[in-house]
Every structure is written in C-alpha cells, then in structure tokens.
Amino acid sequence: MEIGRSALELITDLVGELPFSRASSFHLGSDVYEQVSARPDEDGRGLDEALALFRTAAGEGLETAGPRYFGYVPSGGTFTSAVAELLTRALNRCTGLAGFSPALVAMEDGVIRWLCGEFGLPAGAGGLITTGGSTAHLAALVAARYERLGECFTAGTLYTTAQTHYSVAKAARIAGFPASAVRTVPTGHDLRMDPQALSAMIARDRAAGARPFLVVANAGTTSTGTVDPLPEIAALAHGEGLWFHVDGAYGGFFQLTARGRQILRGIECADSLVVDPHKSLFAPYGTGMLLVRDPTVLRAAHQGTGEYLQDLHPTTFPHYADYGCELTRECRGLKLWLPLWLHGVSAFRRALDEKLDLACSAYRGLASGGYFDCPLPPDLSTVVFTLAGASEKANRQLLEEVNATGRVYLSSTMVQGRHVLRLCVLSHRTHAEHVSEALAVLHEFARRSVGRIRLADTA
Ligand SMILES: *Cc1c(COP(=O)(O)O)cnc(C)c1O
C-alpha cells in the first residue's frame, strides 16, 4: 500500500502544478527516451526510481490538462474522474455482461439514460460508453449498415461534408466500405452542409444504382466548431429513409446549456449520436459515448454469445458487449457517475456556459484589436483567425513564436483553402485570466510580426 500513498502524493503534486506549468515542452533527449523505454529488470527497480522516471517522461509534451492549452480540442480531465478511475481499476470488475455486476451496470445505465433525456431522445433510447469518438462512430456505422443495408452492403453510400472528422471515413473503411462510398456533400461559405446539394446527390446516386443509407451531420466540427443545419438535414434524411447520425464528439455536451440547445436544435432527431465526455464533459482521455434512438438495432448488429457464458446471473440491464466490439471492459461509467453525483449537473452546465462566454470574449478581443481577421463568428467555443493582411508564412511563424513561449498553446487549420489559427476553449481549468493571457501573447507577437512586415516593405 506504500505505492498508493506515494502515487497519491505525486498525483496531488502534478495536478497542483498544472496552473503554473508550461503549456508545452519538448526538451528531453535520446538518453531519457532510452532510459524510460529500456527492458524491465528481472528484479524490479523499486518505487522511487519508477515514479521518478514517470515524472520525467510526463514532464514532456503538450500540457493538454492545463488551463492555457487551446490547441486541437482541449481535455481537462477532472480530478474527481481520475479518482473514480482509481476506484474502478482497483476494484477491477467486469461490466461487459451485466450479470457480472448488475448494480454497477445500473449506475452506468442511469448516466446514459439521463443523457439521452438531455438530448431529447425518446424513452427507450440507450447507448454505450466507449473509449472515444472513433470507436463510437464505428459502432454507429456498423448498426446503420446492418439495419439499412443487410449483409450485402457494397452498394451502400453515406453522406457527409469535407469538414467532418476523419474518424467517420475511417469507421466506414473498417466497416467494410470502399472510399468511394463516402460521399462529400458541398458546404456553403459558412462551412455548413448544404441540404439542397445533399438531396441532389442522393437522387443522382440512387439513379446510378447506389443505395444511400446514412447521413452524418456535425454538431460542432473539430476545425471550426461549426454546427450543420441539423433540422433540415434530419428532415431530409428521414424523408429519404436514411439513418441520421450526428457527430457531437467535440460540441455535443453544449446541449447542457440553454444557448447550446438553441444552436444544436434538431439533434433530438438523431438515430445515433456520438459525444465525447473526454472533450466537452471534462472527463479524462478514453471516454467516448454513443447514444442511439433504438438500442435493439445496436444489439442486432453486435450481439454474440458462447457456451462458456451459460452460467451468467440473469439481469434486465444491458450487456454492453452486445452494443459494440468489446467484450471485457472495466466499470466504465463510474468516471462519469461520480463527478455528476458529486458536483451535480448544474456545475457542468455552468462550466460549459463559461466556455461559450470565454470563446465570445476571445472572438471580440481578436476581432477588435486591429491585428487579426476572424472569418467566422464562433458557433461554440472555437475561434479561428489570421494575422490581418499577412501571408501564410507570417501566420505560421506567429503560431510557432506564440507556442514557443510556453505561456499558451494553440493550433491551426484550413478554412476555404486558407491557413488560419484556432483557439479552442474547453478545459474546465481555463478561465477568463487564461484567455486574457492568450490574447496578450497573440497581440504581443502580432505587433512584432507587423513591425517585421512593414520593415520588409520599406527595405
Ligand atoms: C475528436 C473528434 C472525433 C474523434 O474522437 P476520438 O475521441 O478522438 O476518437 C470525432 N469527431 C469530432 C468532431 C471530434 O472532435
């Protein structure tokens, strides 16, 4: 039990340091890589050395859990969730089949059903806690394929935009579809799916002998946080007899706020919906979710059994093994159940509301400072911008310089073929002072960059 005390001390240290640590750091050399990746000794090394090596290795990388990390999609990982994980792992119960631990499965089932209600899905809706959005998409695509196309599905086509996360195309490939089955629906200047273009594509594909079966819409794209016109797409998909799947891996949990519900209107029409608690519910990595209108479809697509399972304790709770590709799994729901029960749902609603406010203030601060252009007002908590009147090279350099300070970390993407910087606010540890710091660093380096450009112009 000595290890428990030492590890908890280290954990408290690490989490305590988060507000002050650099936003990114890549400083370790090959000697350290060699040391930490060496073959384990026959006799072990002892706790102090092992934990020290861990601490060294953890000192390098992007500080994704820190408050000044605005790159990609931040994921804070609440400490409560980490404690739940420790309980889960120490207990080590299986929840793939409900008979192993019916009451623990009931806890997880309660969280899933509560969330289905928040999204306006009907009673009877259900779902699965996965390891992430990618695995959740895969289960959804396999279910849609199985239900809408049957076992001979090679003529099936699915529809989404170029803004959609690549995990959807990847799931389609793993589910057995050729790349040509993933049809790219055009978007307008606002990067939203064009429903008329979708309708025309479906008609054309049908006429050519294809079997359109699925539309994937975005409830917040990774690149820009853009939300597709969900009500129009839902009506069209259902009018055409297509499965309507929504990717809310980044933006889905904004549904817990009044503003989010307004923006995500139409999400209640989804046949299936992916949300990532490890993004917008502040859970630690390895926490995704699939919600489905009708879990019997998931079951039909994934169910199996074996003679060795004939002794299971009977229960009415779901066998999660029947909902996706995993059998043995940990008590995955506790890391959501404990934070929700401990802090209450309103703590999450408030935190998400704060992120929307912070993104608005970042947008205003960037758009009004005179140095930056913001091509899109944020739908959710992601702001994209460029250094006004500057080349792509100057924008790339600005990003490098800002990130090199270690004070904040941002990333970039492309909008309509143009390189843009992006700032995504999503950590529960990020507050107004951290956004102010990001704006201060950006403006500081923008001033220098503009100075350089003027100098070059006059030279
Ligand atoms: C992150 C993300 C995914 C992929 O989810 P993982 O949890 O990384 O597997 C899918 N869609 C969107 C919109 C995302 O932001």
Side-chain angles (χ1 to χ4, degrees):
M1 286 298 128
E2 165 63 14
I3 185 167
R5 258 185 296 277
S6 303
L8 272 180
E9 248 170 57
L10 175 56
I11 290 166
T12 314
D13 263 17
L14 289 175
V15 175
E17 279 167 12
L18 278 178
F20 318 104
S21 48
R22 281 176 62 93
S24 65
S25 174
F26 294 92
H27 62 281
L28 299 179
S30 54
D31 50 330
V32 178
Y33 298 147
E34 269 167 37
Q35 218 184 341
V36 299
S37 63
R39 205 169 55 80
D41 287 350
E42 288 301 325
D43 300 322
R45 295 263 188 111
L47 183 60
D48 290 348
E49 188 180 344
L51 288 185
L53 280 179
F54 166 72
R55 187 164 194 161
T56 302
E60 181 177 73
L62 301 181
E63 193 55 271
T64 49
R68 287 167 291 116
Y69 176 78
F70 300 96
Y72 309 101
V73 181
S75 168
T78 60
F79 190 63
T80 329
S81 243
V83 170
E85 273 287 75
L86 188 58
L87 290 170
T88 297
R89 301 297 176 168
L91 182 70
N92 202 35
R93 283 287 180 78
C94 177
T95 59
L97 298 164
F100 277 91
S101 272
L104 290 177
V105 170
M107 290 169 98
E108 185 161 335
D109 189 47
V111 171
I112 293 169
R113 282 186 296 110
W114 160 72
L115 200 56
C116 286
E118 288 285 340
F119 280 102
L121 295 176
L128 177 69
I129 302 180
T130 63
T131 52
S134 304
T135 41
H137 279 314
L138 179 60
L141 258 67
V142 167
R145 184 200 77 196
Y146 191 82
E147 203 227 6
R148 298 295 157 106
L149 299 173
E151 292 192 334
C152 301
F153 55 81
T154 47
T157 46
L158 59 124
Y159 300 80
T160 197
T161 72
Q163 297 300 313
T164 298
H165 194 276
Y166 83 97
S167 56
V168 169
K170 183 176 167 185
R173 179 147 54 103
I174 299 171
F177 291 100
S180 59
V182 182
R183 315 283 286 130
T184 304
V185 183
T187 51
H189 284 299
D190 54 5
L191 306 182
R192 301 183 211 283
M193 185 186 284
D194 174 352
Q196 256 136 38
L198 168 65
S199 171
M201 269 182 113
I202 293 172
R204 261 200 317 275
D205 285 351
R206 275 221 173 95
R211 295 172 67 199
F213 78 105
L214 169 71
V215 182
V216 181
N218 287 295
T221 58
T222 313
S223 222
T224 57
T226 302
V227 179
D228 282 325
L230 302 178
E232 288 84 348
I233 300 169
L236 217 152
H238 288 154
E240 295 280 352
L242 272 59
W243 181 288
F244 179 47
H245 178 66
V246 176
D247 184 358
Y250 152 62
F253 283 104
F254 285 106
Q255 177 78 4
L256 296 181
T257 69
R259 269 179 290 178
R261 272 195 296 282
Q262 198 59 36
I263 297 162
L264 300 178
R265 219 166 23 87
I267 206 164
E268 69 283 357
C269 302
D271 292 299
S272 56
L273 162 66
V274 165
V275 288
D276 257 356
H278 67 203
K279 288 177 177 166
S280 42
L281 205 62
F282 320 120
Y285 287 132
T287 325
M289 253 176 143
L290 171 64
L291 305 180
V292 289
R293 177 168 294 273
D294 178 7
T296 60
V297 180
L298 265 190
R299 203 177 304 134
H302 293 97
Q303 194 172 33
T305 190
E307 287 155 349
Y308 36 81
L309 293 173
Q310 61 192 358
D311 310 315
L312 276 180
H313 181 81
T315 124
T316 54
F317 292 109
H319 297 313
Y320 294 127
D322 291 347
Y323 284 8
C325 69
E326 294 172 285
L327 169 55
T328 305
R329 72 204 283 279
E330 76 283 21
C331 169
R332 202 168 278 166
L334 196 71
K335 60 186 164 183
L336 299 181
W337 186 93
L338 187 67
L340 287 164
W341 279 62
L342 196 63
H343 308 304
V345 178
S346 71
F348 290 89
R349 297 191 201 281
R350 277 196 306 275
L352 285 162
D353 233 1
E354 183 200 13
K355 303 315 149 202
L356 293 175
D357 285 340
L358 292 177
C360 278
S361 74
Y363 174 71
R364 279 196 307 268
L366 288 166
S368 67
Y371 285 101
F372 295 104
D373 284 335
C374 300
L376 297 167
D379 278 355
L380 297 169
S381 71
T382 303
V383 184
V384 290
F385 58 97
T386 60
L387 193 56
S391 64
E392 176 170 332
K393 184 160 164 259
N395 273 283
R396 287 184 189 278
Q397 188 178 355
L398 174 74
L399 180 64
E400 262 176 44
E401 289 171 344
V402 164
N403 286 343
T405 64
R407 288 164 63 188
V408 293
Y409 189 90
L410 281 77
S411 59
S412 69
T413 186
M414 304 298 283
V415 169
Q416 314 278 23
R418 187 166 158 223
H419 177 277
V420 297
L421 277 60
R422 61 188 282 293
L423 180 152
C424 180
V425 191
L426 204 59
S427 171
H428 64 291
R429 296 193 175 92
T430 300
H431 304 295
E433 66 266 30
H434 306 112
V435 172
S436 298
E437 183 164 7
L439 295 193
V441 182
L442 282 165
H443 278 114
E444 188 184 317
F445 281 90
R447 266 192 298 277
R448 287 191 207 180
S449 178
V450 169
R452 267 199 307 265
I453 292 167
R454 291 216 183 102
L455 208 62
D457 285 349
T458 54

